[in-house]
Amino acid sequence: MDSLNIPGTGRTPTVAFDFATGHLRMSGESYPDDVATFFGPVFTALRAYLAESVLIPIQFDMELLYFNSSSAKVLMNIFQMLESVARVGRPVSVIWCYEDSDESMRELGEDFSEDLHHVAFSLRNVPVGSIG
Amino acid sequence: MNFNLFAAEEQAIEKARKLGEALAVAAPDCAADFEELVEAFQRSTREQRRLVRVSDRLQAQLGAANQELERRRQEAETALAHLREAQEAIIQAEKLASLGALVAGVAHEINTPVGIAVSCASHLADATRELRRLSDDGTISRGDFARYLATAGDTATLILTNCQRAAQLITGFKQVAVDRASAERRRFNLSKTLQETLASLQPKLRPSGHTVTVLCPADVELDSFPGVLSQILANLVMNALTHAFPDGRAGRLTLAVELSDVNMVRLSFADDGVGMSEDNRLRVFEPFFTTRRGHGGTGLGLHIVHNLVVGALKGSITVDSAIGTGTRFVLLFPRQTPERD
């Protein structure tokens, strides 16, 4: 299926889902005015992709530097969807990026990974200002 | 003491687990579904914990951002206060510099009558010595004596009038200088103060050949700040000399005073020079606005005028000008300066 590319704005993240290679990426900041309007299409595309029977390994890069509570819930839902396909044998890795010295973001990553048992979860620290 | 934000949820989960064990015995068919429900509730509780953390993090970030904002606001206000102080200091320095220029003008003005008096006295001394020599030789004639008397009379008159002129200038300048330095409030004659100030500016006015016409009723008395008025006039004159006649033409400056009513003085200062553009006219009282930066212009002369008219005299100042039509400043201020705003 086609890739999903949504350029970032001040309040919404860049979404780059390259379904052909299995490389999915969200970066920037996320506090959309209306969470359903922004993430609705993202979920629709992701759900359809995960329903396909191909077993291309998935790598999900989480590069959000700032997100509100709704976006946090969105992330948890996405992680659960990924966990479901990983449970039935599809290789999935999630890479949680946080900026150097942002301890609380690193701890949040650890928290967010506690329900992931089949997904390979890793933390990656990046220099301040290198993503956004 | 142990405080657990999610104690109630954990108790509920514990209760559900026990219920699940009982259910596994009583109704084994439902056990799996029930287990799933408990799982979902547990996950929901974990998600709740994460959301609380996310929310706390956001609040902390907001708090930090607000503190930063407040810090920057204070920095900006401090910077603004420093800037105002610096501006005030520059304006004070400019006032002192103009006082210095006044002193230089005074020295120049007094030099003329004193110089005349000195050469007259020297001439008289020569003539007296010559007469004494003739007298000692016994060769003095009636004609010699008559010539001497004429010389002595003429030179004595010249010495007297020039010394009187110098004394008069000193009295006038002393008043201007004291007024400017002290900003003292007193009753004074407007026409006299204007004349004295213009006299101190003669060294600047004379070489350029400009004429100054003063139209002021002789009997207008003010209860105000003569030094301020003198400074205002000096700055207006210097401004006109600097800007109005770039071609070196001898211009006409007119200073006109009328009482717009019993209590208000309307003082206009006009030149017939080159005038200025509307853009410049609108900015002319702004501090540091100058069309002659790099040529010694500080952009403070008219700003000081504005401040003095508004601040000290409690009046207002407007300016009319257009390219080629000359410039007219009109000051309107009370004859008796109010004690407070």
Side-chain angles (χ1 to χ4, degrees), chain A residues 54-75:
Chain A
V54 287
L55 290 180
I56 305 168
I58 293 171
Q59 180 186 323
F60 184 92
D61 288 340
M62 203 309 285
E63 298 181 359
L64 295 180
L65 297 176
Y66 184 91
F67 51 84
N68 64 6
S69 305
S70 301
S71 304
K73 180 62 175 144
V74 163
L75 282 177

Side-chain angles (χ1 to χ4, degrees), chain B residues 201-219:
Chain B
L201 292 166
Q202 276 305 316
K204 302 277 188 197
L205 285 163
R206 205 180 295 119
S208 50
H210 302 311
T211 58
V212 186
T213 310
V214 181
L215 306 167
C216 178
D219 57 350

Side-chain angles (χ1 to χ4, degrees), chain B residues 55-101:
Chain B
S55 171
D56 285 354
R57 175 181 152 93
L58 291 169
Q59 293 296 331
Q61 283 172 332
L62 187 64
N66 276 339
Q67 273 177 9
E68 178 65 11
L69 194 67
E70 174 61 17
R71 194 182 62 75
R72 296 215 184 150
R73 196 187 61 79
Q74 279 181 359
E75 262 177 24
E77 276 191 1
T78 308
L80 185 64
H82 286 165
L83 195 66
R84 290 213 171 108
E85 276 169 28
Q87 198 166 319
E88 195 55 37
I90 292 169
I91 287 167
Q92 286 304 327
E94 184 74 8
K95 282 187 192 167
L96 284 178
S98 90
L99 197 59

Side-chain angles (χ1 to χ4, degrees), chain B residues 112-140:
Chain B
T112 308
V114 169
I116 293 170
V118 166
S119 47
C120 285
S122 160
H123 184 54
L124 182 59
D126 285 351
T128 306
R129 205 162 29 243
E130 178 61 15
L131 190 71
R132 183 178 296 276
R133 192 183 61 77
L134 293 173
S135 165
D136 290 350
D137 293 354
T139 57
I140 189 164

Side-chain angles (χ1 to χ4, degrees), chain A residues 10-32:
Chain A
R11 308 175 67 98
T12 60
T14 300
V15 177
F17 287 179
D18 184 351
F19 293 126
T21 64
H23 190 197
L24 317 180
R25 185 170 153 264
M26 281 199 336
S27 68
E29 305 198 347
S30 180
Y31 45 110

